[in-house]
Amino acid sequence: MPATSMDQLVSLCKRRGFIFPGSEIYGGLQGTYDFGPLGVELKNNLKKAWWRANVYERDDMEGLDASILMNHWTWKYSGHEDTFVDPMVDCRACKSRWRADQVKNGRCEKCGSADLTEPRPFNMMFRTMVGPVADEDSYAYLRPETAQGIFVNFKNVVDSTGRRLPFGIAQIGKSFRNEITPRNFIFRVREFEQMEIEYFVRPGDDEMWHRRWVEDRINWWTTLGLSRDNLRIYEVPAGELAHYSKATVDVMYKYPIGWEEIEGIANRTDFDLGSHSKNQDTLELHAHVMKNEHSTAKLTIPDPETNKPIVPYVIEPSAGVDRGVLALLCEAYDEETLPNGETRTVLRLKPSMSPIKAAVVPLKRNAPEIVDACKAIKRDLQCTGEMRVVYEDTGNIGKAYRRHDEVGTPYCITVDFETLENKTVTIRDRDTMAQIRLPIDEVYDYLKKGIAETFTRCES
Ligand code: ATP
């Protein structure tokens, strides 16, 4: 039985150390969550898989890690200062605030009152001051998307790598949006991580590349264990497109709260590079050019056919790490009834995504030779640097198995008295609960085969 409600997941995540409410001991901070000991491993596995598929396995991609804080003019010319807004309404009765498009039947979700204000625009960027002197120009924003860090470095990357069209720049990093109504656990938060690609193409080839990326990205999510039946695409209607987009296709996942966006794939045309290159011609900007505050860079690259400089078009697959983690957890969560009537909770994560790959469990915690053998096995597996393996002695064997089923550990290795005699161990499989006996020196190959990655070669 897959996760039927978000509450089951929230409870498991808290209990087992995946995800905690942010600043909890001070009563929390709405729209923030902290990833615990297992959550950070799961998140890292997801990010590593994305980086490997999109940077290492392709021949047309470079990586980048740009600053979160950027010159505030970036956000003027990207259009975010003027248009990155959500209309919001206030409830006059209970003073709560809602995103206008999320208000159902014209009533406040908290108190039911219909006494709501008219929708007003609300800019979702967090503003902060840079440096000790607070003058009118020393402000900056926490970036609301990682994309602009890629656009402002376009020339640096082209000049330093010699890239020619088509090629992409990939980046993973934090983004911040002052969401009016953060909700649904880590689905809509104010601080989150994005995995973004800006894929630069020749104008005219953009629609073909857009289609290819949509297909490629859906396929990639399935390699992580999301079922194809739980993924679908949504073509964003013209009236709902972001200010920079000619066309956007959202990849939707069937969360317990319904079909929602996990990734957006936009055709941003030459909007951003064009805007960062062109505006120096205007009078208003001239003053800032003089003060060295405005981009004078021409963000162009030779057209592969004519060799003339052009501002390329860009396709942007932009995925949320947090929404990805949530989807993996939703897909993996299972409760099954055992023959003895007990309920077993098991996270059927793909082994490559599991936070812990194997737990080494002693049959007896107070038998020193068994404990030593466990620790030696753990050390040998761990020093390969390829998998997280833990020594588990927090309860009896049955409890250790249940505990690791719940956090998705694919294998439990049990050391018993027979191990001391003939150097063999039992390996229990999380999904089938079947156990096999293996010589210790075959354990590494066995685990390695079981957690092997699925490579996702893109057809570019
Ligand atoms: P939504 O319509 O759900 O607000 P969006 O269309 O504004 O999302 P994009 O700007 O396309 O989102 O951002 C790309 C990706 O970043 C989204 O697909 C999502 O996975 C992630 N993302 C955006 N906003 C949030 C948020 N507030 N919390 C968590 N992840 C987010």
Side-chain angles (χ1 to χ4, degrees), residues 84 86 99 124 144-145 177 179 186-194 196 244 248 250 260-264 316 318-324:
F84 195 61
D86 265 345
R99 231 170 86 169
M124 296 204 295
E145 59 172 23
R177 295 183 188 178
E179 296 279 356
I186 55 170
F187 179 80
R188 186 174 300 288
V189 281
R190 291 187 169 133
E191 173 177 342
F192 54 97
E193 256 180 299
Q194 290 182 308
E196 293 199 303
Y244 50 72
T248 297
D250 288 343
E260 295 286 352
E261 175 183 336
I262 187 170
E263 172 160 0
E316 176 194 72
S318 170
V321 176
D322 310 71
R323 289 187 191 180

Side-chain angles (χ1 to χ4, degrees), residues 143-177:
R143 67 184 178 197
E145 59 172 23
T146 66
Q148 296 305 324
I150 297 181
F151 295 131
V152 302
N153 279 292
F154 174 77
K155 206 168 153 26
N156 285 334
V157 174
V158 171
D159 289 351
S160 58
T161 63
R163 283 288 181 185
R164 290 295 174 255
L165 297 179
F167 81 100
I169 304 178
Q171 175 167 232
I172 300 176
K174 290 265 186 177
S175 290
F176 302 81
R177 295 183 188 178

Side-chain angles (χ1 to χ4, degrees), residues 395-407:
N396 61 33
I397 294 229
K399 275 202 187 132
Y401 290 165
R402 292 286 170 279
R403 189 183 171 81
H404 281 280
D405 287 345
E406 259 199 332
V407 302

Side-chain angles (χ1 to χ4, degrees), residues 410-412 426-436 446:
Y411 302 108
C412 283
T426 60
I427 300 192
R428 174 185 177 274
D429 182 282
R430 173 196 71 197
D431 294 332
T432 62
M433 295 190 285
Q435 301 195 21
I436 56 161
Y446 183 83

Side-chain angles (χ1 to χ4, degrees), residues 241-308:
L241 290 174
H243 62 275
Y244 50 72
S245 173
K246 163 178 164 186
T248 297
V249 174
D250 288 343
V251 180
M252 313 289 278
Y253 179 74
K254 196 176 177 191
Y255 293 99
I257 49 171
W259 288 97
E260 295 286 352
E261 175 183 336
I262 187 170
E263 172 160 0
I265 304 158
N267 181 343
R268 287 180 87 129
T269 67
D270 58 356
F271 178 86
D272 300 271
L273 291 185
S275 178
H276 290 308
S277 322
K278 278 182 214 144
N279 286 327
Q280 75 252 32
D281 299 337
T282 71
L283 247 189
E284 183 218 348
L285 292 171
H286 190 64
H288 298 291
V289 176
M290 305 303 282
K291 280 167 66 186
N292 239 352
E293 282 173 344
H294 172 62
S295 158
T296 51
K298 284 278 179 205
L299 303 181
T300 59
I301 191 166
D303 181 314
E305 285 180 15
T306 64
N307 220 22
K308 292 208 175 102

Side-chain angles (χ1 to χ4, degrees), residues 50 92 100 123 126 208 210 224 244 248-249 303 330 335 354 371 384 436-437 447 453:
W50 185 90
R92 291 197 184 89
N123 193 303
F126 283 99
M208 178 271 289
H210 197 192
L224 301 191
Y244 50 72
T248 297
V249 174
D303 181 314
C330 292
E335 282 179 7
S354 293
V371 170
T384 62
I436 56 161
R437 199 144 193 120
L447 296 188
E453 305 295 349

Side-chain angles (χ1 to χ4, degrees), residues 306-331:
T306 64
N307 220 22
K308 292 208 175 102
I310 52 163
V311 177
Y313 269 35
V314 67
I315 306 301
E316 176 194 72
S318 170
V321 176
D322 310 71
R323 289 187 191 180
V325 166
L326 186 59
L328 291 177
L329 288 169
C330 292
E331 185 88 29

